[in-house]
C-alpha cells in the first residue's frame, strides 16, 4: 500500500484511487541473517523484519547458532548459551526475545524458519554440552580440540531428541532448517572410535556415509515432531533418504547452481536458490544488477521441474556484518532479489528496474532506514538518523 | 587520552597514571570526503570529524563540488548552488555551515582543506555560470553539451579571480586544493574556437598543453591570494610550472604510484599518497590488511626524497556513499591508514595490529559510532544506535 503514496511538489502525500491485481511468482521469498558470527541485538532483527515487509519478503531464515557463538537460550539446555554465547546475559536471545521476533514477523506476514545446523558448524555447542562433539586425535591421543557432532554415541541422539522437541515447539513454523553443510571429515578420521565404527558399519573410508548416517537419524528424530525440514544441498548430494516434502536449499556456486537445481528437481524435490544471492559478498560498483539478472527457474528441466522451485533467499552471512553495517549492506541490494522473487519473469529490464529501485530506496530512506545509494544522486529527504 | 581508559570486569572505567612520549611520523594525515556525488548532511560531516580526531587524523580534505552537484553556497556567485546543487535549500552548505565545519574541526586539531577541482569535473558549475564551460560541437554546430572550463576566454579568468578570492577568505587554511585531474579533451577537440586558439598558441594537437595553459593561469591567480596549493598528480605530470611549496597529490594506481612518488620527490616537490587508500573501493574480506601494509616512503629514492613525503589521505569518493553507509564503510578501515601515518615505520605486524584495531573499533562502537567489524567476534557493548 505504501508504494502507492507519493509526495507532490508541495510536500503533500497523495494516493490515487486504484484497484490492484498483484500476486507473487514464488511463495518462498526469504532473507537469511546470521546471529552467531556476530550477535544482532533484538531491535536490529525487528527493524529488519519491518524492511522485509516493505520489500514483500515473507520468510526470515534465522541462522541462529553456528561455530562462533550460541546465542539461543534453550530452556532444556540453558548451558548451551550460558557457555556458548559471546556473553551469557547481553548476547543471548531469551524465550521472550524469540517470541517477540516470531510475533513481530507474523504480524507482517513473515514466517520465521530457524536453522540449527549440524553436524558441522557446531563448535559453540560443545562448550555447554559435554560429549556432544567428536574429540579429535593427534596421533594416538586426544588433541584437546573437537570436530563435528559425534555421530556414534547414543547420547548424541538422546540430546538431539530433547533439543529438537523444544525447538519444534518454540518455532511455530511448519518447517525447520537442519543445515547439514560443510562437514569437515579430518577430525572424524583422526578418532579411533570413529574409525572402528566406520568398520563395523562397513562404510570403508567414505566419511560421507557417516555423515549420511547421522543426518538420517536426525531427520527421523525431527520427523517425529511433525515438522517438515529444509536442508542445505550437501544432504541431497550425499544421497540421504529424504521425506518427499523436504526442501533442498541450493547454496554452492561450484558445481554450477543451475545444474544442481536441475538434479534436485529431477529427483522430485522442492528447492530454493541462494547461490548467487550471498549478499555478504560485496564488490565495487552496481552489483545489484547481477543479483537482479538471476532467474531461479533458468536451468535445463521440464515445466514440472520448474514448478518445484519454491523461491529463494538472500543470505547475509555474519563474518563481516553486525548491527553497525547490516542495513546499508543488505538494502537495497536485497530489494533486487525481492523483485525477482515477486514479479513476473518478463520483468527484467535493468534500466526500468534502476528507476524503480532508486525511488524505492528513497522511500526506505524517508522512513529512517539507512538503505545505501545505488549510484550518484540524491533523495528529496536524505538520511539523517545518525 | 581516551585510548588510555579501559573498562574493568565490574564495568568501572579506569586509567593508569602514566607519562607519554608520542608524536606522528607524518604531518599530513587526511580523510577526503566527497559532497558532490552525494550530499552529506552537516551533522554527518561533524560526526566524521569527531571520529577523525579519535583516530588522530588532522586534515579534512573537503572535495566539496564536482560534476554531479555544487552544494557550496558562494556569496559572490550564489547562482552556482542555486542552479547546481541537488536542491538549492536542502542540499547546500551555507556560509554558516562551512564556518561550523571549520571551527568544529579546528577545536579538534583538524585542518579543513577545500578542493575546487577545475578545469574538469565541473559540469555542475556550468548550470549557474553562463559561458564558463566549453560548448562541445557535433560537426559544425554546438551539440548543447558542455566540456571542461573554457580556457580561452578572459571571462573565465575574471570569474576564477573573484571566485578564489572568496574561497581563500572563507577557508582559512594556508593551502587550497585545486584539483586538475582527469581532463577529458574530446569536447575541446570538437570546438572550432578552441582549435583556432591551439593554433595561435602553437600547441599543435597537444591538448595537455592547453590544460597546462589553463592551470598555469589559475595557479597565478591563486598565488596572488597568498595561499599555497595542492594539486592532483596530472598537473605535475603535464609539466606545469609550479611554485616550490606546491604539494603533489598522488592518486593513480597506473603507472605504479611508487614510481610517481619517486619522480615527484626527485623534482623536489612535497607529496602525499592516496592511490592505495581509495577506501570507497571495497572487496570481500579483511581488506584493511592491504591498506595497512602500504608505506608512503617505500619507493626508490634518496633520504632527502623520502623527507619530501608529508603523509597521505584516505579517500572516500561518493559514487556509492552517502549518509546511510559512510561511517561503517570508512571506519575502522581508515584507522589502518591512521596508524600507518602516525606510528613508526617498524610498527607493521599484522597480528598485533589486528588486536589493537579490534579493541579500538569496539571503543568507537561504545561511543555510538557504527564502525564495522573486522571479522567474527563481539564487543562488550554492541552498537544499538539504530
Amino acid at each position: 500500500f505504501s508504494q502507492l503514496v507519493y509526495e507532490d511538489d508541495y510536500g503533500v502525500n497523495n494516493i490515487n484511487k486504484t484497484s490492484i491485481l498483484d500476486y507473487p511468482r514464488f511463495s518462498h521469498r526469504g532473507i537469511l541473517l546470521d546471529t552467531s558470527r556476530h550477535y544482532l541485538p533484538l531491535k536490529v532483527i525487528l527493524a529488519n523484519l519491518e524492511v522485509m515487509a516493505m520489500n514483500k519478503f515473507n520468510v526470515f531464515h534465522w541462522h541462529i547458532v553456528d561455530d562462533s557463538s550460541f546465542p539461543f537460550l534453550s530452556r532444556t539446555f540453558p548451558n548451551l548459551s550460558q557457555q556458548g554465547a559471546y556473553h551469557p546475559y547481553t548476547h543471548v536471545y531469551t524465550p521472550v526475545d524469540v517470541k517477540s521476533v516470531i510475533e513481530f514477523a507474523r504480524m507482517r506476514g513473515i514466517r520465521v524458519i530457524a536453522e540449527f545446523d549440524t553436524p558441522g558448524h557446531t563448535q559453540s555447542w560443545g562448550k555447554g554440552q559435554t560429549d556432544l562433539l567428536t574429540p579429535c586425535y593427534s596421533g594416538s591421543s586426544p588433541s584437546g580440540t573437537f570436530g563435528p557432532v559425534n555421530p556414534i554415541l547414543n547420547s548424541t541422539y538422546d540430546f538431539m531428541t530433547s533439543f529438537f522437541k523444544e525447538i519444534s515447539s518454540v518455532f511455530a513454523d511448519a518447517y525447520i532448517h537442519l543445515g547439514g553443510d560443510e562437514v569437515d571429515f579430518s577430525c572424524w578420521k583422526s578418532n579411533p572410535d570413529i574409525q572402528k565404527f566406520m568398520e563395523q558399519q562397513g562404510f570403508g573410508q567414505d566419511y560421507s556415509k557417516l555423515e549420511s548416517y547421522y543426518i538420517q537419524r536426525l531427520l527421523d528424530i525431527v520427523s517425529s515432531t511433525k515438522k517438515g525440514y529444509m536442508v542445505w544441498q550437501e544432504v541431497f548430494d550425499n544421497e540421504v533418504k529424504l521425506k518427499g516434502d523436504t526442501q533442498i536449499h541450493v547454496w554452492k556456486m561450484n558445481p554450477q547452481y543451475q545444474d544442481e537445481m536441475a538434479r534436485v528437481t529431477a529427483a522430485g524435490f522442492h528447492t530454493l536458490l541462494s547461490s548467487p544471492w550471498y549478499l555478504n559478498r560485496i564488490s565495487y560498483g552496481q552489483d545489484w544488477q547481477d543479483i537482479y539478472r538471476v532467474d531461479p527457474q533458468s536451468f535445463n528441466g521440464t515445466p514440472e521441474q520448474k514448478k518445484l522451485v519454491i523461491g529463494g533467499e538472500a543470505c547475509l552471512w555474519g563474518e563481516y556484518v553486525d548491527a553497525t553495517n547490516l542495513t546499508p549492506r543488505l538494502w537495497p541490494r536485497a530489494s533486487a532479489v525481492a523483485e525477482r522473487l515477486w514479479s513476473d519473469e518478463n520483468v527484467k529490464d535493468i534500466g526500468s528496474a534502476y528507476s524503480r529501485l532508486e525511488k524505492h530506496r528513497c522511500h526506505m530512506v524517508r522512513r529512517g532506514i539507512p538503505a545505501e545509494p545505488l549510484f550518484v544522486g540524491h533523495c528529496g529527504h536524505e538520511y539523517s538518523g545518525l
Side-chain angles (χ1 to χ4, degrees), chain A:
Chain A
F1 174 80
S2 71
Q3 288 181 278
L4 299 173
V5 180
Y6 67 95
E7 188 180 305
D8 66 20
D9 292 343
Y10 303 96
V12 176
N13 286 314
N14 296 272
I15 182 163
N16 284 324
K17 182 180 167 186
T18 187
S19 62
I20 300 173
L21 178 64
D22 195 14
Y23 53 90
R25 177 175 168 207
F26 295 107
S27 63
H28 188 116
R29 304 180 304 281
I31 298 274
L32 176 150
L33 296 185
D34 168 3
T35 56
S36 172
R37 292 177 178 87
H38 285 99
Y39 176 79
L40 298 174
L42 186 63
K43 72 183 197 182
V44 174
I45 297 175
L46 300 184
N48 196 62
L49 286 166
E50 191 77 90
V51 190
M52 284 174 63
M54 267 191 82
N55 286 270
K56 303 196 181 96
F57 278 102
N58 68 347
V59 178
F60 168 36
H61 175 163
W62 193 352
H63 187 86
I64 189 166
V65 300
D66 204 298
D67 284 328
S68 319
S69 77
F70 197 104
F72 175 74
L73 200 164
S74 160
R75 285 183 196 274
T76 325
F77 301 100
N79 223 27
L80 288 169
S81 62
Q82 184 69 30
Q83 303 295 328
Y86 282 132
H87 188 286
Y89 306 125
T90 58
H91 288 60
V92 294
Y93 303 106
T94 65
V96 170
D97 291 340
V98 172
K99 262 201 172 143
S100 319
V101 169
I102 294 170
E103 181 61 12
F104 193 93
R106 193 184 68 79
M107 294 295 287
R108 286 156 183 79
I110 298 172
R111 302 161 54 197
V112 177
I113 299 183
E115 176 182 356
F116 287 87
D117 190 0
T118 65
H121 290 281
T122 49
Q123 289 293 305
S124 69
W125 303 49
K127 295 187 179 162
Q129 186 65 20
T130 322
D131 295 337
L132 180 63
L133 304 186
T134 308
C136 314
Y137 277 64
S138 161
S140 59
S141 51
S143 68
T145 64
F146 294 88
V149 164
N150 193 330
I152 69 172
L153 300 181
N154 284 329
S155 58
T156 291
Y157 300 100
D158 293 343
F159 168 83
M160 291 297 171
T161 304
S162 307
F163 183 75
F164 278 102
K165 193 174 159 207
E166 176 183 354
I167 296 310
S168 68
S169 92
V170 169
F171 293 93
D173 197 81
Y175 274 79
I176 189 159
H177 202 302
L178 296 174
D181 59 321
E182 297 185 312
V183 182
D184 178 7
F185 296 146
S186 56
C187 180
W188 280 350
K189 285 180 186 170
S190 77
N191 182 305
D193 298 329
I194 302 268
Q195 289 164 11
K196 201 181 298 166
F197 184 83
M198 292 281 290
E199 214 171 295
Q200 286 166 359
Q201 298 284 330
F203 290 164
Q205 288 301 306
D206 187 353
Y207 284 82
S208 73
K209 287 193 173 143
L210 181 60
E211 182 183 348
S212 298
Y213 170 88
Y214 166 80
I215 292 277
Q216 201 71 67
R217 289 192 63 173
L218 178 70
L219 295 186
D220 293 345
I221 287 166
V222 175
S223 296
S224 73
T225 68
K226 308 258 165 72
K227 294 279 186 188
Y229 38 75
M230 300 171 65
V231 288
W232 296 109
Q233 70 179 71
E234 286 98 318
V235 176
F236 169 80
D237 296 344
N238 288 337
E239 301 179 354
V240 174
K241 211 167 61 196
L242 297 164
K243 282 195 302 175
D245 62 350
T246 304
Q247 300 174 344
I248 312 296
H249 199 159
V250 174
W251 70 276
K252 292 190 176 194
M253 286 297 269
N254 276 308
Q256 288 233 318
Y257 66 82
Q258 292 89 342
D259 298 341
E260 181 77 3
M261 299 289 281
R263 278 189 295 271
V264 168
T265 52
F269 289 106
H270 283 105
T271 186
L272 66 161
L273 182 63
S274 280
S275 312
W277 289 331
Y278 268 37
L279 301 194
N280 51 301
R281 299 214 153 259
I282 51 172
S283 59
Y284 191 59
Q286 296 203 40
D287 63 351
W288 71 269
Q289 298 186 358
D290 286 335
I291 293 165
Y292 185 71
R293 283 197 189 94
V294 169
D295 191 309
Q297 287 179 322
S298 119
F299 57 85
N300 285 326
T302 63
E304 285 67 36
Q305 279 177 268
K306 304 295 174 84
K307 279 186 201 140
L308 292 170
V309 178
I310 59 170
E313 289 184 2
C315 299
L316 195 72
W317 295 100
E319 282 85 350
Y320 304 101
V321 175
D322 71 2
T324 60
N325 61 351
L326 183 145
T327 307
R329 187 151 299 189
L330 189 55
W331 306 102
R333 291 160 77 232
S335 307
V337 177
E339 181 166 291
R340 176 57 54 237
L341 292 173
W342 181 279
S343 297
D344 191 81
E345 62 178 310
N346 299 320
V347 179
K348 57 185 177 186
D349 180 73
I350 289 284
S352 62
Y354 181 85
S355 312
R356 277 194 301 281
L357 206 48
E358 196 186 23
K359 199 177 286 181
H360 182 57
R361 181 250 164 185
C362 284
H363 237 100
M364 291 195 272
V365 167
R366 170 112 208 234
R367 286 220 200 155
I369 299 158
E372 68 179 18
L374 294 171
F375 195 50
V376 175
H378 77 290
C379 295
H381 302 267
E382 298 288 357
Y383 181 68
S384 61
L386 268 183

